[in-house]
Structure formats: C-alpha cells, structure tokens
C-alpha cells in the first residue's frame, strides 16, 4: 500500500514506539503519587514538557497536555469566550475554512450569544491580514485562525496576524495541527496567545496533543477533577503518549529542512505531471503551502469513485467530495475558495510524509490519469462538456 | 470495507456501460451539484426493453446501483421494469450503507425517467403522477439542512 493520506494521520516512527515502550511497564507510576515510581514518572513528564516547549520557542509552563487537536481547540475557544464574557466582549473572528473542531465549537458559542465573523480566504486559500484588522472591534475577544489548512495546505500569515492581535490586545489562537512538525514555528516570534497541536500528525501516537497558552493569557480549567496540568486539565497524564509526542516532535524538528526539500520536489512533480490532465485545477496557493500537500480537482468525475479506484491500485488518498465526507455537501474548504460544487466533488488530496518515496510519487503519477480517463469515459457530465452541451468550468 | 463485494464488483466491472447509438429513450436524473447524475438509454421493441446502457457521474454506489439496475430491466416488459424499486436494487447489491440509499432511489428514477421519455416520444398516455419532477433526494435534504 502506498500511503498518501498523511494529513489524516501518520505512521508512528520506530524511534517513537521505542521511546514510548518503558512507560507501559517500567516507568508506569502515576505522576501524582508520592513514591519513587510516581516521582520518576513525574520527572519524565516534566522533561517532556521542557523539550516540547523548546521545539516551539515556548516556556515549559506554557504547555498543557490534552487528548489531541480537537480538545485543544475546544479548550482554547471555551476559555477565551469565558474571559470575553466577563468583560462583555462577545465577538470572535475566524475564517470560513477552519477545521470542524473550530467551526462546530463556534456554532455552540453563537447559541450562547457570541457573534462570529467568518473571514473570506479567497481563491488562493489565504486570509488577508487587512481583513483581520478591519474585523476587530471593541467587542472582539478572540481571533482564531488555523496555521495551515488541512485540505489544501495553504499557510496563513500567522506572524502578521499575531502582530495585529497584539496591537489590539486581542487573544490570538491558532489551530496548528497540520503545521507543527512540518514547518518551523516559534510561538513568541508569531505572537501567538494559544496554539493547538496533535501528535499523530507528525508520526507520534494518536490520542495525545497539547495546548500552548502564553503566560499572562487567561486559561480557565477545562476538565474538572484532580490537580493535573496546574489545576486546569484534570486526569492522569498519558505519559506513554506524551513521551511519544515529545520524541516525534524533536525528530520532526531536527529533520524538517531536509525532509521538506524532498517533499517540495515530490509535491511539485505531482502538480506538474497531473496538471497535464485536461480540465484539471490546482486547489490553493502553490507557494505558501505545506511541503507535503497536493490538492487538485478533475472535471467531470466524482471523488469517491476516484478514491475507490486508486485504492484498487494500492494508493490511499482522500477527497473533498460529499460522498467521502459522509455529508451531502462537498468540503467547506473547497467551497470557501470558490470552487463550484461539481468541481469540489471531483477533488483529490494526496499528502506526503518522510516515508514517501519517489517510486510512490511515480506510481501516483501513472495511476491518477488512468483513473480520471476511465471515469470520464462514462460520465454524463464529461460527455455533455465534450459535446459542448454545457461549458467546461476549469 | 464500506461496500459489499457485490457493490464493488459492479463498481469495478460496470455492466452495460457507455453511450448507446440511436436509443429509443433516454432518462437522466440527479444533479452535478449534488455529485450524482445517472443517464439511462433504452432500446425498446414493442413492449419489451431489448437493450439498456448507462452513464453515471457519481460515487461508487451510484455506479453500482445504475449498473445492476440495467441488468434487472434488460429483456423485461416495460410494465415489469416500472415495478423496479430502490429496495430491490439494494437487495440485489447485498445492501448499501444508510447514507448511500439515495443512490438506489436515483437508479429507480433513472429507469422511470427513460420509460417516461419513451412514452413522450411515442405519444403514449401514462399516469403523470407516477413521474413527479424534482426528485433529487440530495437537494431536498440539503435544502432542509440550511435552516
């Protein structure tokens, strides 16, 4: 199997598995216990916190361990809203193409009386800094904008947005789930108040993540119970997961430049070769983009059948078609960058990792045109376009 | 696997696929916006469907339901083809996931739309209420979702 769905999740690196192993049956104490076994676990936990903080340019007491990206996003929004409500500030700024962990949480906040501004992301899938500044009002309590988009990989001008938010004294949260471990991030340089990440997106284990919260920025308790995570997130720490996340982030940070050079080359080869398919379109900016993210639409075909056929050719891929999302509408991300529904249905996302080889890329370059041609052969939409009954859109 | 072996077989090897030359009737249902369009061609001799072909834009189950529907009506009398239900299509495919049932409805509608076209072309009277327009399941549900 050729795994080109690394934005969904990644394979856990062997060094991460090795690093996690002792914490199941050797250093298995509860970090809250007084005895040596517990205290030893606690030392390892704090060591991991330190090392993770270092990778992000943060302080160790700014790191709060969670169960993953969704929890971190929920927590960040919840906390910023509580603080906002106390000062009678109930306006939030976000973008139209955030992850559902953000969008659905904000929908809940809307029910509680918050007003949300959804900024446009334009055809290139990048928010305009000027739009952010224009949208800020006296009532704004939170700006939450993702670091990089999960479907089209476009990287947002986070440092500039951070500056604007700092200038206006607004809390700035970024969902960096797709970006951490893939591009260099420094929370201080970017003036980020809160950042969410998830370990399984960079070859770490599933079920563990983290929320960074800048010192001085308010963070209300989210899970009530024991005194873990400085009384803000109760629950016995997932030490094997946290140690795995720590090692995964360190190796991603160390290897980043080298891996990215290769991935950019692979990704651009995919774009060049698959753009030769007539009536195809690259989705999202090609420069300000995650090194491993490829996303294109092919006219006249539907994404799920494309994925099923690629699966038969041993390629694991993903699509923004309605059929694969389990809902009736195609991906909100592709609609946000202005794709018509029928073009959004025919999208293909290939996301690479450090394990991707040139052979994998070549196999994809051979397979995708065959599948597109096969599906177009009996597509009534393609038939009408080719006969001039309806116009080609792309 | 999301789909039964039967669905995958019809997806991988669609029966009666492609355009038909000089068909006696064509039915097209669905909507590109929703991600599914089925077009069915019929050759009709007297009251018998002698040949069927189809073209589909859509997901795996849309291709499979239209493929099996063509098999189920080929060689049948028109009045028997009109009895084809979406449940029968689902059963013939050994089931479909719940969120894909609308594909079987589209297959049933494609057959009916083609027969209606045959009636219209030949000035044959029929019960208009059986062919209600605008039956795109997807659009209907999508409308409801927007409130």
């Amino acid at each position: 199997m050729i795994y080109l769905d690394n934005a969904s999740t990644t394979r856990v690196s062997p060094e991460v598995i090795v690093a996690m192993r002792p914490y199941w049956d050797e250093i298995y104490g509860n970090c809250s216990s007084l005895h040596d076994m517990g205290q030893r676990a606690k030392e390892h936990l704090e060591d991991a916190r330190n090392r993770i903080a270092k990778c992000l340019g943060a302080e160790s007491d700014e790191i709060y361990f969670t169960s993953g990206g969704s929890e971190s996003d929920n927590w960040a929004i919840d906390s910023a809203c509580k603080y906002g409500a106390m000062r009678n500030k109930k306006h939030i700024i976000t973008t139209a193409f955030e992850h559902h962990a953000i969008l659905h949480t904000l929908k809940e906040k809307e029910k509680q009386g918050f007003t949300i501004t959804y900024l446009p992301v334009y055809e290139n899938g990048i928010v305009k800094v000027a739009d952010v500044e224009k949208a800020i009002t006296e009532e704004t309590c939170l700006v939450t904008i993702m670091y990089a988009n999960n479907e089209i990989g476009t990287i947002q001008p986070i440092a500039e947005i951070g500056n604007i938010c700092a200038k206006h004294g607004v809390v700035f949260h970024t969902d960096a789930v797709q970006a951490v471990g893939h591009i260099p991030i420094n929370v201080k340089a970017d003036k980020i108040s809160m950042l969410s990440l998830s370990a399984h997106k960079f070859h770490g284990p599933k079920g563990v993540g983290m929320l960074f919260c800048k010192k001085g920025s308010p963070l209300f308790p989210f899970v009530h119970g024991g005194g873990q995570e400085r009384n803000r997130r109760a629950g016995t720490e997932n030490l094997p997961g946290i140690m795995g996340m720590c090692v995964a982030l360190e190796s991603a940070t160390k290897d980043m430049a080298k891996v990215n050079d290769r991935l950019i080359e692979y990704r651009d080869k995919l774009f060049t070769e698959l753009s030769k398919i007539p009536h195809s379109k690259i989705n999202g900016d090609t420069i300000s983009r995650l090194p491993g993210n490829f996303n294109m639409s092919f006219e006249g075909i539907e994404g799920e059948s494309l994925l099923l056929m690629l699966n038969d050719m041993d390629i694991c891929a993903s699509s923004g078609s309605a059929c694969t999302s389990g809902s009736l509408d195609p991906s909100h991300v592709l609609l946000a960058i202005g794709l018509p529904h029928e073009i959004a249905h025919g999208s293909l996302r290939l996301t690479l990792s450090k394990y991707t080889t040139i052979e994998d890329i070549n196999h994809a370059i051979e397979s995708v045109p065959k599948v597109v041609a096969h599906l177009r052969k009996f597509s009534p939409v393609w038939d009408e376009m080719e006969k001039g009954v309806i116009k080609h859109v792309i | 696997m999301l789909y039964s072996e039967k669905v995958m077989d019809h997806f991988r090897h669609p029966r009666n696929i492609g355009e038909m030359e000089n068909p006696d009737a064509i039915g097209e249902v669905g909507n590109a916006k929703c991600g599914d369009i089925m077009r069915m061609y019929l050759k009709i001799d007297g009251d018998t469907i002698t040949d069927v072909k189809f073209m589909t834009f859509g997901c795996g189950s849309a291709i499979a339901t239209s493929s099996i529907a063509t098999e189920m009506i080929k060689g049948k009398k028109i009045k028997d083809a009109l009895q084809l239900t979406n449940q029968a299509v689902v059963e013939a495919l050994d089931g479909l996931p719940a969120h894909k049932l609308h594909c079987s409805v589209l297959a049933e509608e494609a057959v009916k739309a083609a027969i209606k076209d045959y009636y219209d072309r030949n000035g044959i009277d029929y019960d208009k209420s059986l062919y209600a327009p605008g039956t795109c399941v997807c659009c209907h549900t999508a409308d409801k979702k927007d409130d």
Side-chain angles (χ1 to χ4, degrees), chain A residues 304-305 312 345 383 387, chain B residues 12 19 33 39 58 60 100:
Chain A
E304 193 209 78
S305 23
D312 277 351
H345 285 300
D383 179 57
K387 288 179 178 154
Chain B
R12 289 179 180 127
E19 196 174 1
K33 200 179 165 216
R39 187 192 292 169
K100 296 290 185 176

Side-chain angles (χ1 to χ4, degrees), chain B residues 8 19 23 28 34-35 38 41 58-59 61 65 72-73 86 92 101 112 119 130 135 139 142:
Chain B
M8 286 311 290
E19 196 174 1
E28 189 171 300
C34 306
M38 286 181 195
Y41 303 92
C59 58
S61 59
T65 54
M72 292 169 88
I73 61 164
N86 79 302
L101 289 174
K112 291 200 166 126
Y119 288 157
L130 291 175
T135 37
C139 294

Side-chain angles (χ1 to χ4, degrees), chain A residues 40-332:
Chain A
R40 214 172 136 214
K42 173 86 179 159
E43 279 164 27
H44 287 251
L45 175 76
E46 293 313 319
D47 176 51
R49 200 187 302 277
N50 252 316
R51 288 156 62 189
I52 288 171
K54 224 171 251 160
C55 292
L56 299 167
E59 306 292 327
S60 63
D61 57 358
E62 296 175 320
I63 305 295
Y64 298 86
F65 295 122
T66 67
S67 64
S70 292
E71 184 191 327
S72 301
D73 285 345
N74 273 261
W75 188 3
I77 291 172
D78 203 68
S79 183
C81 285
K82 271 194 187 124
Y83 188 60
M86 283 163 57
R87 297 174 301 147
N88 215 15
K89 289 174 178 245
K90 298 183 92 173
H91 174 236
I92 300 168
I93 299 168
T94 189
T95 73
F97 76 163
E98 295 296 311
H99 191 273
H100 286 126
I102 297 288
L103 292 179
H104 289 173
T105 308
L106 291 179
K107 276 271 165 280
E108 285 304 308
K109 294 299 162 194
E110 236 173 331
K111 288 182 202 158
Q112 295 165 19
F114 284 80
T115 316
I116 322 286
T117 300
Y118 297 92
L119 297 177
V121 289
Y122 303 94
E123 204 195 328
N124 63 355
I126 298 175
V127 74
K128 286 191 176 147
V129 180
D131 289 350
V132 179
E133 185 152 35
K134 235 182 282 166
I136 294 177
T137 70
E138 285 297 309
E139 277 74 49
T140 307
C141 62
L142 171 69
V143 171
T144 173
I145 293 176
M146 66 198 334
Y147 214 111
N149 184 266
N150 49 315
E151 288 186 42
I152 56 174
T154 50
I155 301 167
Q156 306 306 308
I158 293 301
E160 288 162 88
I161 298 170
N163 258 328
I164 302 276
C165 292
K167 193 173 102 186
H168 292 270
V170 177
V171 172
F172 174 40
H173 167 254
T174 183
D175 171 354
V177 166
Q178 294 290 334
V180 170
H182 298 275
I183 50 172
I185 291 177
N186 184 303
V187 289
K188 291 235 160 50
D190 288 347
K191 296 207 169 69
I192 293 165
S193 326
M194 289 192 275
L195 172 145
S196 307
L197 70 79
S198 180
H200 75 101
K201 304 292 191 185
F202 48 83
H203 307 286
K206 292 164 183 65
V208 60
M210 181 215 96
L211 179 67
F212 155 84
C213 183
K214 196 179 75 172
K215 243 183 281 181
S217 200
L219 185 66
F220 290 91
F222 193 55
V223 178
H224 305 279
Q228 292 89 351
E229 299 305 297
R230 296 185 294 294
N231 290 314
R232 287 178 174 86
R233 201 272 188 187
T236 301
E237 300 85 349
N238 170 9
L239 195 53
I242 290 165
M243 297 312 296
M245 171 162 70
C246 172
V247 170
L249 184 57
E250 281 182 334
S251 42
T253 308
K254 181 167 69 67
D255 303 337
M256 194 180 289
K258 219 172 96 202
V259 170
N260 281 355
D261 281 349
R262 192 163 56 88
L263 295 190
I264 288 171
E265 190 190 310
Y266 290 177
R267 178 199 70 192
D268 290 347
K269 185 172 184 192
L270 283 169
F271 278 140
T272 310
E273 293 303 318
L274 296 179
S275 289
K276 291 178 184 163
I277 296 176
H279 302 287
S280 57
K281 181 186 189 302
I282 296 173
N283 296 321
D285 197 87
T286 52
I287 307 293
S288 184
R289 189 180 189 106
L290 292 174
N293 177 290
F294 163 97
N295 192 313
M296 281 187 78
S297 284
F298 305 104
E299 199 166 48
I301 64 159
E302 192 281 328
E304 193 209 78
S305 23
L306 177 66
L307 296 192
L308 288 173
M309 291 203 68
L310 287 175
N311 189 56
D312 277 351
M313 295 167 145
D314 289 332
I315 296 175
C316 302
S318 143
S319 166
S321 97
C323 286
T324 57
S325 70
S327 76
L328 296 158
D329 288 316
S331 132
H332 69 289

Side-chain angles (χ1 to χ4, degrees), chain B residues 8 33 69 77 103 109:
Chain B
M8 286 311 290
K33 200 179 165 216
K77 300 267 186 230
C103 294
E109 285 173 354

Side-chain angles (χ1 to χ4, degrees), chain B residues 3-80:
Chain B
Y3 293 125
S4 70
E5 270 308 311
K6 203 77 173 273
V7 172
M8 286 311 290
D9 178 43
H10 276 267
F11 169 72
R12 289 179 180 127
H13 312 286
R15 328 291 201 260
N16 306 307
I17 189 106
E19 196 174 1
M20 183 187 278
E21 303 245 321
N22 306 314
D24 295 315
I26 305 176
E28 189 171 300
V29 293
N31 175 331
K33 200 179 165 216
C34 306
D36 295 302
I37 295 188
M38 286 181 195
R39 187 192 292 169
M40 214 161 269
Y41 303 92
L42 303 179
K43 272 258 197 277
I44 293 175
D45 187 5
D47 59 353
T48 305
I49 297 169
T50 55
D51 198 11
V52 191
K53 288 250 190 187
F54 82 95
M55 292 177 84
T56 290
F57 161 85
C59 58
S61 59
I63 292 170
T65 54
S66 33
S67 166
I68 204 158
T70 62
E71 276 193 329
M72 292 169 88
I73 61 164
K74 197 167 168 174
K76 291 272 166 66
K77 300 267 186 230
I78 292 177
K79 66 171 177 31
D80 295 329

